Amino acid sequence: MVFIEERHQFLRSLDGQPKQMALYALVSDENLTFPDNELSETDRIYYSSIQAIKKNSKKDFSAQYSKISKRKVSENSSAPFIHDDFLIYALIIGVIKFDCDKNWLLVVINNRAKGDSTTTFENLLNENYQSKANNQSIVLTLIFLLDKSKLSNELLNDAYDSMCDAHQSFKNDFNRIIHYRAFDIIIKYKLPNDVDKVSRLLNFEARFLKRINIFTYIVYNMFLILLLFVAYKSMQALPDDIKSKINDIGIIIGIGGIGLLGNIIPILRKKFKELTLRVFGYI
């Protein structure tokens, strides 16, 4: 409960902080809202890149990436954009997603201050997702955005174990947003340890229900045929004078009976199926 309360309080505190809200929109299903105030070129590239990723527009992202990748990055540069985790992370996602040239970003990362985020960014660009030096929450959110099919139990377990070190995860708003979103992903996609057994049970349930449908259809129709056969034999045993009267009445009753049975039989068949399922212990 404490974790959930802290998470909600933190996310509420992001109101009025468009840069943080844009990152959260990127890694979640939230809509992106452009700030109303005048933006610098770097910030406009940041917001436009996120919008392009969410729209799945390679053309729009490439246009923004082309603008910023024209900037020269010298050794030990102190340019603010180089050390902007929000911007660099958004660019990394776009570059990988749309298969853009990575060289400029690698130069930028090599000129950043060393740390777990910088190391992770470099490993992501080099497709080294398994490195123990990675910030697992950054890796997990990126994989979630690019290819959900790679969310294995092993990956989720490793990410959870690593993320339990809160001191490492809550250094700044960037890490905290990514950390909370990664936990959301783990909670939603984490499978039980006996997932294979559960999967087999679910497959058996599907096969069982199909077989019950076939079983009840055959047995129910055999039962109806048996009733008709008994009724026919009973009529054959009646005296001739009674049978001649029944023939005239039977035509009228038969016409009405066909329509009535057409409505009743499906209901009776459904009830018979439910009874069969209960006999086999399936609720």
Side-chain angles (χ1 to χ4, degrees):
M1 288 298 293
V2 174
F3 170 80
I4 295 174
E5 291 173 3
E6 288 179 352
R7 175 186 178 280
H8 286 318
Q9 289 175 2
F10 173 72
L11 293 179
R12 283 198 300 268
S13 74
L14 297 182
D15 290 340
Q17 301 185 66
K19 194 163 191 175
Q20 285 83 343
M21 290 299 295
L23 175 65
Y24 186 70
L26 171 63
V27 297
S28 66
D29 295 326
E30 299 293 325
N31 293 324
L32 173 65
T33 303
F34 264 75
D36 296 328
N37 56 314
E38 189 173 340
L39 299 173
S40 66
E41 184 187 33
T42 300
D43 284 345
R44 184 166 295 280
I45 290 172
Y46 168 68
Y47 293 114
S48 298
S49 296
I50 291 177
Q51 187 178 56
I53 293 168
K54 291 183 73 66
K55 288 168 53 181
N56 197 31
S57 173
K58 180 176 181 177
K59 179 181 177 182
D60 291 348
F61 177 81
S62 296
Q64 300 303 319
Y65 186 59
S66 177
K67 290 179 186 177
I68 197 165
S69 61
K70 291 177 181 177
R71 299 185 183 184
K72 301 296 183 181
V73 181
S74 58
E75 189 175 354
N76 299 321
S77 174
S78 60
F81 76 89
I82 293 178
H83 307 284
D84 188 338
D85 287 347
F86 293 85
L87 173 65
I88 300 303
Y89 181 65
L91 293 177
I92 287 173
I93 290 175
V95 163
I96 297 175
K97 180 180 180 68
F98 299 120
D99 195 25
C100 300
D101 184 76
K102 304 175 183 178
N103 290 329
W104 181 83
L105 260 182
L106 286 170
V107 172
V108 170
I109 290 170
N110 287 332
N111 283 276
R112 283 169 52 95
K114 299 302 179 183
D116 64 335
S117 293
T118 299
T119 299
T120 305
F121 290 158
E122 183 176 7
N123 285 335
L124 291 176
L125 285 174
N126 292 321
E127 300 183 12
N128 183 9
Y129 300 149
Q130 286 75 38
S131 173
K132 296 299 182 182
N134 285 338
N135 181 318
Q136 294 299 325
S137 57
I138 295 177
V139 175
L140 184 58
T141 51
L142 179 136
I143 290 176
F144 176 80
L145 288 172
L146 298 181
D147 189 356
K148 294 182 181 64
S149 67
K150 293 182 180 178
L151 292 178
S152 64
N153 246 18
E154 181 180 2
L155 174 65
L156 295 172
N157 286 332
D158 288 344
Y160 176 80
D161 291 340
S162 173
M163 290 162 54
C164 285
D165 184 356
H167 297 294
Q168 191 178 39
S169 302
F170 291 168
K171 292 185 298 185
N172 52 49
D173 281 353
F174 171 81
N175 282 280
R176 201 166 185 179
I177 292 168
I178 296 296
H179 179 89
Y180 283 135
R181 180 53 184 156
F183 256 114
D184 289 343
I185 295 169
I186 291 172
I187 291 169
K188 184 174 181 179
Y189 289 92
K190 180 71 176 73
L191 298 173
N193 290 330
D194 57 349
V195 62
D196 290 338
K197 181 179 179 181
V198 173
S199 178
R200 287 196 299 271
L201 286 172
L202 291 174
N203 288 333
F204 170 76
E205 181 185 34
R207 291 196 303 272
F208 174 75
L209 291 175
K210 288 180 181 178
R211 291 171 182 176
I212 286 294
N213 281 333
I214 296 172
F215 175 78
T216 54
Y217 178 83
I218 294 173
V219 172
Y220 184 74
N221 282 285
M222 288 178 63
F223 176 71
L224 291 180
I225 293 171
L226 179 62
L227 284 180
L228 290 173
F229 179 77
V230 171
Y232 174 77
K233 285 297 184 181
S234 298
M235 289 182 63
Q236 290 298 315
L238 293 174
D240 291 340
D241 57 333
I242 296 177
K243 282 196 291 185
S244 62
K245 293 178 181 179
I246 289 177
N247 286 337
D248 296 331
I249 298 172
I251 294 173
I252 299 173
I253 294 176
I255 294 172
I258 290 172
L260 183 63
L261 285 175
N263 292 320
I264 294 177
I265 285 178
I267 298 173
L268 293 177
R269 186 185 300 145
K270 180 180 178 182
K271 293 297 182 182
F272 181 73
K273 177 184 175 182
E274 291 175 357
L275 177 63
T276 304
L277 287 171
R278 288 182 178 275
V279 168
F280 282 101
Y282 183 90
I283 306 300

